[in-house]
Amino acid sequence: GMQSHLQALLSLYKLFCPEQVTITLPGKTKTYFKNSEGPWKAAITAVRQRNQGTSPLSQAVFLGASQPQSRKRKWNAQLVIPASSTNTNHLEEDGEKNCFYPYSTNESFPVEQLQTFPQLLQNIHRLEFPSQMGSVLTNPLLLHYMNCVKDESIYLRLYYWMSQMLQEECTWCVVDNPYEEEFRSFLETVYKAECFLQEGFSACEEFLYKTLPLWDGFCCRSEILRLISWIPLSSFSDIKSYLYDPLAQLFFTSSIYFKCSVLETLKELLQNWLNGNVIQMDSELSS
């Protein structure tokens, strides 16, 4: 007999291929399948309204099953990378002279006092990562320390924080986001950290794969192309579907300048892949 989920499936078939479904279906059928064109329609509507100068959409546009709303900022809030600070206060400060007493060997060294590279070398076994991992992006000494300490939890903490920031602040995924300059500066900071570490962040890779199909090729162009150059090497099928295909759609419909920029980015991507492969081969040979 006719069951509700079968009716929903048949009605979906009849919507796209009516000649294939000859039976009569009830007019009201429970919706079992989400509209896959929802994010695209919302993105097109957002572009039209932005060009026409009409009222903005209130719904966030993000590629995926769900469409998360952008978090509401306070009137004076900004996209700020947190400063380095420890979880607990290890400082024993002299109030009159404003100087710090020496530490014992079993006490951790607070990141607030980490100022020079010799300090990093002397206290590398007593150093703790800050309570907010995002602060390492602007601290070269902590990036050095991150390279030395291969702890999976460190990368996971940074991954979760960066994924959330990129999704919530993406200018072309959140309709009429007024913080484009802040987001551009944040992407530039992430890129500089990747150059320092000589490797891309996994959160940044996922962000690019999700948002490139919605990117107009104009917003934050230089920052996005720079981040693309640090995507790690993976299978050709993934690279083609998630990277080459979205770029190809923009490539064939854009200016000569954009075409040259994309080619330059792909050349840098290839160079980074080759350099990373050589480093990996050297480490394997030495081991």
Side-chain angles (χ1 to χ4, degrees):
M2 292 299 294
Q3 302 179 21
S4 58
H5 57 277
L6 293 179
Q7 288 183 0
L9 184 60
L10 289 172
S11 63
L12 187 64
Y13 289 157
K14 195 166 187 177
L15 178 64
F16 291 99
C17 299
E19 70 280 359
Q20 300 294 330
V21 182
T22 58
I23 62 175
T24 302
L25 295 172
K28 294 183 179 180
T29 305
K30 185 178 179 180
T31 303
Y32 279 85
F33 308 99
K34 293 182 179 180
N35 187 359
S36 60
E37 299 178 353
W40 293 103
K41 290 181 178 179
I44 293 172
T45 305
V47 172
R48 287 175 178 171
Q49 292 190 347
R50 185 168 64 244
N51 294 336
Q52 296 174 359
T54 56
S55 60
L57 286 178
S58 60
Q59 190 177 27
V61 181
F62 201 83
L63 195 63
S66 61
Q67 299 181 11
Q69 297 289 335
S70 175
R71 60 183 174 87
K72 294 182 179 180
R73 294 185 176 185
K74 296 181 180 179
W75 66 272
N76 60 346
Q78 293 180 339
L79 197 166
V80 178
I81 296 177
S84 300
S85 60
T86 50
N87 290 314
T88 56
N89 186 13
H90 298 285
L91 305 180
E92 298 179 8
E93 187 175 352
D94 186 347
E96 295 180 356
K97 297 182 180 180
N98 196 23
C99 61
F100 299 99
Y101 293 106
Y103 293 84
S104 61
T105 56
N106 59 350
E107 288 183 335
S108 61
F109 187 82
V111 293
E112 294 93 334
Q113 293 189 38
L114 187 62
Q115 301 294 331
T116 63
F117 193 74
Q119 278 185 326
L120 175 64
L121 295 180
Q122 293 171 5
N123 301 280
I124 194 167
H125 298 295
R126 301 192 291 121
L127 196 65
E128 289 183 356
F129 275 100
S131 55
Q132 294 178 294
M133 279 300 298
S135 61
V136 303
L137 295 178
T138 56
N139 193 321
L141 296 176
L142 290 179
L143 289 175
H144 273 302
Y145 184 53
M146 187 174 174
N147 255 341
C148 296
V149 182
K150 297 299 182 181
D151 187 355
E152 189 67 22
S153 63
I154 296 170
Y155 290 90
L156 283 176
R157 286 176 59 194
L158 189 60
Y159 166 78
Y160 289 129
W161 176 82
M162 191 181 297
S163 298
Q164 190 72 12
M165 293 293 290
L166 289 171
Q167 177 172 333
E168 290 182 346
E169 304 296 339
C170 180
T171 309
W172 58 93
C173 290
V174 178
V175 179
D176 287 343
N177 190 335
Y179 307 102
E180 180 177 348
E181 289 302 321
E182 294 181 15
F183 185 63
R184 185 190 301 273
S185 176
F186 177 69
L187 295 181
E188 183 68 22
T189 302
V190 173
Y191 168 72
K192 290 180 180 179
E194 289 183 334
C195 292
F196 189 94
L197 296 172
Q198 291 294 292
E199 62 177 339
F201 295 111
S202 57
C204 191
E205 177 190 9
E206 291 183 6
F207 164 75
L208 290 172
Y209 285 164
K210 285 182 179 180
T211 59
L212 279 179
L214 292 175
W215 186 46
D216 58 4
F218 178 77
C219 182
C220 304
R221 176 191 295 168
S222 59
E223 290 77 18
I224 291 299
L225 292 179
R226 289 174 183 174
L227 292 176
I228 289 175
S229 66
W230 282 110
I231 289 179
L233 179 62
S234 57
S235 65
F236 176 75
S237 59
D238 292 341
I239 291 292
K240 182 180 183 303
S241 59
Y242 294 124
L243 178 63
Y244 292 157
D245 290 347
L247 285 180
Q249 296 180 7
L250 296 170
F251 185 88
F252 293 116
T253 58
S254 300
S255 62
I256 296 295
Y257 177 79
F258 182 82
K259 289 180 172 64
C260 294
S261 300
V262 171
L263 293 177
E264 179 70 18
T265 298
L266 296 180
K267 185 196 76 170
E268 294 176 357
L269 177 63
L270 180 59
Q271 289 177 342
N272 292 332
W273 283 350
L274 293 175
N275 291 334
N277 193 31
V278 168
I279 294 173
Q280 183 178 0
M281 290 177 60
D282 290 343
S283 62
E284 291 176 355
L285 291 175
S286 61
S287 61

